[in-house]
Amino acid sequence: MSRTHLRKFSRSETTRAEAFSDGVFAIAVTLLALDLADPPHKPGGLGPALLAQWPAYLGYLASFGYVSVIWLNHHQAFVRIRAMDRGLHAANLFLLLTTAALSFPTAVVADALQTDPTDSDARVAVALYAGLAATMCLSWVAFYQQIARRPELLDPDVEDTYVRHGRLRSWTGALAYTVAGLLGVFIAPLLAIAVFTVLPVFYFVTSEGLPDGTAPPGTGPHADQAARGSAV
Amino acid sequence: MSRTHLRKFSRSETTRAEAFSDGVFAIAVTLLALDLADPPHKPGGLGPALLAQWPAYLGYLASFGYVSVIWLNHHQAFVRIRAMDRGLHAANLFLLLTTAALSFPTAVVADALQTDPTDSDARVAVALYAGLAATMCLSWVAFYQQIARRPELLDPDVEDTYVRHGRLRSWTGALAYTVAGLLGVFIAPLLAIAVFTVLPVFYFVTSEGLPDGTAPPGTGPHADQAARGSAV
Amino acid sequence: MSRTHLRKFSRSETTRAEAFSDGVFAIAVTLLALDLADPPHKPGGLGPALLAQWPAYLGYLASFGYVSVIWLNHHQAFVRIRAMDRGLHAANLFLLLTTAALSFPTAVVADALQTDPTDSDARVAVALYAGLAATMCLSWVAFYQQIARRPELLDPDVEDTYVRHGRLRSWTGALAYTVAGLLGVFIAPLLAIAVFTVLPVFYFVTSEGLPDGTAPPGTGPHADQAARGSAV
Amino acid sequence: MSRTHLRKFSRSETTRAEAFSDGVFAIAVTLLALDLADPPHKPGGLGPALLAQWPAYLGYLASFGYVSVIWLNHHQAFVRIRAMDRGLHAANLFLLLTTAALSFPTAVVADALQTDPTDSDARVAVALYAGLAATMCLSWVAFYQQIARRPELLDPDVEDTYVRHGRLRSWTGALAYTVAGLLGVFIAPLLAIAVFTVLPVFYFVTSEGLPDGTAPPGTGPHADQAARGSAV
């Protein structure tokens, strides 16, 4: 009984942080569509003009995918968090700061690629994108770091591996985006774009620690655990 | 008692997916208003300039109506869903990806029609709109497909017909938007716009499986069922 | 007990309609700020350029105030609504459609006044604003109409006067905005702007049916009633 | 029991005000990213063009930080508020009005600094920013004023010092932004920007009344109190 009570309390404690974060994620993801502009064109030239802005579509997919995976990650984290302290708020706000800004390098990359996908501007653009995307991963590192330092912020029954795996995945993401940026700068910008687009899919597909479907969620005695495992 | 408990659990499981989706729907629908711009005009020419952008108003109505119906559909679905797995998250995120992008073809269509409602650009524009709108329906097909494959994600007392009807309506929508696009490309773009505007109204009015008002919602022994039926 | 249960059920029934509406209201209100643009100006001319766009500030105040009052009204309504049917969804979505579009006439009015606050464009602009604002009031008329036709959608203990007063206030608002528009068109556009700015304040201040502070909210035996009365 | 009941009631009373406010905060903060534009540049000139708009990045940091701190403050306030009256709604809406508008002076400052960080336009711009930021603090003064006048709006067990400290911090903020504005106008605009950027960090770090970590949140007998203290 007291367990349940604590749980409820903690959820209400974190409710507004989740609501605010969900708002920022939802807006960040939807604002990306503003980069999909009606292209200027001559009469009869709409079709080719639409095709010519393919980098904008790719950028939309890559950034929408990235923010979606971040959101799923965030969702998984807050299922386990029962209270927030200042440090965790700081890490969360830093994550939101970088997430909200992602539409900026997305637009820069789309523009640069549309002008010339191989010139130095395209290289600068993918470096900017990679830099911000890697920084988003680092904000997750800070997030897990804070949880590791203050384990009382987590539910007592959280998997032992949760924080360790989360930190590992965040460092891996930071590294992957950095490598993608370097490939883009030194080899070919389009290579970086390909990685930017594929990475979220890869993260989405491999994100489950527990195998999928070992137990139908919400039915067995460990329904809570199972549902968590299959949430992402 | 255990029923009620399961219910509550499942609702909290899906709460953040609903909150995030509601955010995206609300923003997608409101961003459509950004296409309603103060038109450039000569002194004294505001009135005619406002009238000349009638395609923008029609586009706003069509897309607002479409996203509204999608939202109502989504609401009806999540009344019945008690847990989410990765596949359902993927279908939901794909739906949000396409919904958030709807303002893009809406602007393209409005611009093209304002320039010349019969030329090839208008045909390209309505094809783009029809393509995205049909893809949104296909994301619903994937959504219902996943529920059909994993029935444990649904409440046990969901109507037998729910998934089947949902899938049928989604395929019908995809087909209707495709036909509207073809009419627009091969006959007249304005014809497509007419269908785009009427379709959401048609879907809204015919969306109830159960007849309206057989029981006052929230009062009878089957209040739950009735309210669901009359929700849309 | 059964009363409380019904209550809870109804609240969850309407939760997503409230969440979606809150989202649209919040975005509609915040997007108004996009009309507050950094004005083009010569070096050293920022100050005068900022002052010259005073109509944009007035428009922001008027529209922010209007949407705020609408939101408070909506909040009061959904405290009393326990279930939604299709008709009520339709009225609500129509309200959101008009609310989301308010930034459009706001920008048109601000622009026209900045060019020349007395010419025919300014008259067209205030007519457009008045027309949309009055339509928002009419969507409230439809809202109350639906509740009057289906009283089972309301909590049983709602004040007898609620629907009647709501309808009266909505018709009054529609009339007030129409009169303001006519004043603007036939006398002076600035007169209409003055009314647009003052009306929300007037509605906010006079919106309480019950006198303020007869009972401290949330403490007396009729806490529920009192808190409702003082909510707006 | 009756205590708990009252609590629940009050939370639902304020739920929509929190949801609407969270929406406005989330959107206000995310719209700031729209000022981070892809800079116009010559082929090969993207890098320098990106660097040249450093004031936009600084403005983004300063305003994102400021709204974040406002949100945390708001969160702390609504943990303690159990009912709202019209006056508190007015103060809250005034806060949202100023918060939503913050992207406007942020863009003005970024533009002016990018043109010339020392000329009269930059001085006007920082004065505008300081004026709005100080007004946001004054809306908090009105907020606390209303709570002081109507203590029944607060939970009975709120710390005695809460309102007094809140008012003091709000006046201090208004003063700090005013001084920063004066420094910017009479000495150097960049000095004002430095203060704008540092102030939110300062407020974030010093915002806790109770020392951090005296008790793990959510575990001790005074978990509620402790979690509140460490929320910011």
Side-chain angles (χ1 to χ4, degrees), chain D residues 90-103:
Chain D
N92 191 46
L93 290 168
F94 184 50
L95 171 65
L96 298 180
L97 178 98
T98 48
T99 304
L102 191 63
S103 66

Side-chain angles (χ1 to χ4, degrees), chain D residues 3 12 28 32 44 50 57 67 87 95 110 126 134 141 150 156 186 208:
Chain D
R3 190 49 230 306
S12 76
L32 292 168
L50 285 171
Y57 311 136
V67 178
L95 171 65
V126 297
V141 172
R150 299 280 303 266
F186 293 112
E208 287 188 67

Side-chain angles (χ1 to χ4, degrees), chain D residues 124-199:
Chain D
V124 168
V126 297
L128 181 72
Y129 191 100
L132 185 65
T135 308
M136 284 167 76
C137 291
L138 292 182
S139 71
W140 276 109
V141 172
F143 194 97
Y144 290 117
Q145 196 68 31
Q146 182 65 10
I147 295 173
R149 267 201 351 219
R150 299 280 303 266
E152 69 272 18
L153 300 176
L154 281 180
D155 269 334
D157 61 349
V158 163
E159 316 85 295
D160 292 343
T161 54
Y162 176 66
V163 173
R164 195 157 41 85
H165 283 181
R167 232 173 342 184
L168 188 64
R169 294 185 70 225
S170 305
W171 278 116
T172 311
L175 188 69
Y177 275 108
T178 307
V179 168
L182 293 173
L183 287 177
V185 170
F186 293 112
I187 318 245
L190 283 179
L191 206 56
I193 308 299
V195 180
F196 296 159
T197 313
V198 170
L199 261 181

